[in-house]
Amino acid sequence: MAFDNLITEKRDGIGVITLNRPKVLNALNSALMRELGEALTAFEGDDDVAVMVITGSEKAFAAGADISEMQSKGFADVYKEDFITSEWEQILRCRKPVIAAVSGYALGGGCELAMMCDFILAADSAKFGQPEIKIGAIPGSGGTQRLTRFVGKSKAMEMCLTGRMMDADEAERSGLVSRVVPADQLLDEAMKTAGQIAGLSRMAVSMCKESVNRSYETTLSEGVLFERRVFHSVFATEDQKEGMAAFVEKRAPQWRNR
Ligand code: CO8
């Protein structure tokens, strides 16, 4: 796959997508987001890929939606093209896990993009924020909603109302990121974590992802019921038979992804 604004690579069952507009700190313009959607769709349909990693540069994961591209749009333009939902949310349609590996700035749409991934691994240099308020706007792709669920109302409200950035330690303390690693080890750590997941049953991984995500959409009792039904369903898979047999026989499982 050749793109103008991304670099993609496939390695050991992992599809890596590197946002690549370094001159503008990976500002997310519509061309980049269209390409990101295409790359995710291609990896999603590729049997050689089990897990995806989205990353940026050392200085920026992404410094937000491209302000130069947005500045002259009017209400009718953004309303008619339903600016930002469809293309930008392609990531939410992936059934394979998607990991965000964030170094440097993840601001505005960059922070929102990271939060749409299944989890965020952060370099110690990472800085998260929703600074749209400083340019007379508000977050437009889930920032007010997802950030609030990650870090709670008080912190999310302060960040969205002031536009202040959160460093990697605060992000880890607040539950926004799963782990912080030294900047020079970020991609290696992301690949290692992705590799662990890629070595598991794809059926189980996908069903597990679906169950965790359900917790965001429903009540606790409905979510637990959903989980139990999915848990029951794993007993219909060959991988559950294989995984449990391998444990009992003290050998490595041979996943069939069925
Ligand atoms: N859009 C366009 N260009 C940008 C952006 C951006 N978001 N961010 C940085 N750039 C450009 C700069 O204009 C500059 O270009 P040039 O060299 O031609 O002048 C270049 O990148 C380097 O930037 P700086 O010189 O400013 O670098 P600094 O290290 O001094 O500062 C900052 C880095 C703090 C990140 C600063 O660039 C900044 O504040 N950027 C804007 C951050 C921002 O406001 N982001 C929110 C944008 S609005 C948004 O995201 C709405 C989300 C809607 C939904 C999206 C769905 C996913």
Side-chain angles (χ1 to χ4, degrees):
M1 291 182 280
F3 296 107
D4 295 329
N5 304 286
L6 307 174
I7 300 167
T8 58
E9 186 196 349
K10 248 185 344 186
R11 223 194 297 163
D12 304 327
I14 304 160
V16 184
I17 300 173
T18 305
L19 309 178
N20 189 35
R21 295 187 77 210
K23 287 191 184 136
V24 286
L25 306 181
N26 293 331
L28 305 165
N29 65 0
S30 43
L32 185 153
M33 290 311 291
R34 192 170 47 250
E35 290 184 355
L36 180 59
E38 286 167 16
L40 289 166
T41 304
F43 281 151
E44 179 76 4
D46 184 340
D47 284 345
D48 292 339
V49 172
V51 181
M52 295 172 251
V53 172
I54 302 180
T55 194
S57 69
E58 207 180 313
K59 182 158 185 201
F61 177 74
D66 190 316
I67 300 169
S68 329
E69 189 183 66
M70 276 187 301
Q71 62 169 339
S72 57
K73 286 184 191 286
F75 172 76
D77 305 316
V78 293
Y79 183 79
K80 280 195 267 185
E81 65 187 75
D82 199 13
F83 184 58
I84 318 192
T85 47
S86 41
E87 263 177 7
W88 295 69
E89 293 186 341
Q90 176 62 20
I91 199 165
L92 301 175
R93 292 187 272 277
C94 290
R95 300 180 75 195
K96 296 175 181 174
V98 185
I99 302 171
V102 174
S103 180
Y105 297 112
L107 302 178
C111 187
E112 291 172 313
L113 179 63
M115 290 192 292
M116 284 184 218
C117 295
D118 293 311
F119 59 92
I120 303 174
L121 275 183
D124 48 15
S125 63
K127 288 191 189 329
F128 299 87
Q130 297 292 159
E132 291 90 341
I133 201 81
K134 294 184 180 174
I135 52 169
I138 73 163
S141 207
T144 62
Q145 306 302 300
R146 290 198 181 89
L147 186 63
T148 306
R149 289 173 193 220
F150 276 110
V151 306
K153 179 184 168 186
S154 192
K155 205 176 267 291
M157 188 70 93
E158 187 209 344
M159 289 179 67
C160 290
L161 291 185
T162 66
R164 89 162 169 90
M165 294 184 213
M166 185 189 259
D167 68 17
D169 283 343
E170 186 181 1
E172 187 181 28
R173 273 201 314 279
S174 316
L176 178 58
V177 309
S178 67
R179 249 172 340 118
V180 179
V181 300
D184 60 356
Q185 292 165 28
L186 177 67
L187 199 57
D188 285 348
E189 278 296 325
M191 294 301 279
K192 206 160 87 188
T193 306
Q196 284 168 359
I197 300 169
L200 301 169
S201 157
R202 291 193 194 178
M203 290 286 286
V205 164
S206 180
M207 289 162 120
C208 191
K209 166 171 168 163
E210 210 177 340
S211 283
V212 174
N213 279 337
R214 193 69 173 200
S215 70
Y216 270 86
E217 308 293 344
T218 192
T219 61
L220 178 61
S221 57
E222 285 298 320
V224 169
L225 182 61
F226 180 85
E227 178 198 74
R228 189 168 312 139
R229 290 294 172 251
V230 177
F231 173 70
H232 292 161
S233 307
V234 301
F235 287 82
T237 68
E238 291 181 21
D239 283 351
Q240 172 269 335
K241 301 283 170 297
E242 170 62 9
M244 294 191 185
F247 178 84
V248 171
E249 293 160 20
K250 302 192 188 304
R251 61 174 174 82
Q254 298 292 315
W255 305 120
R256 297 185 189 108
N257 300 316
R258 300 176 66 81

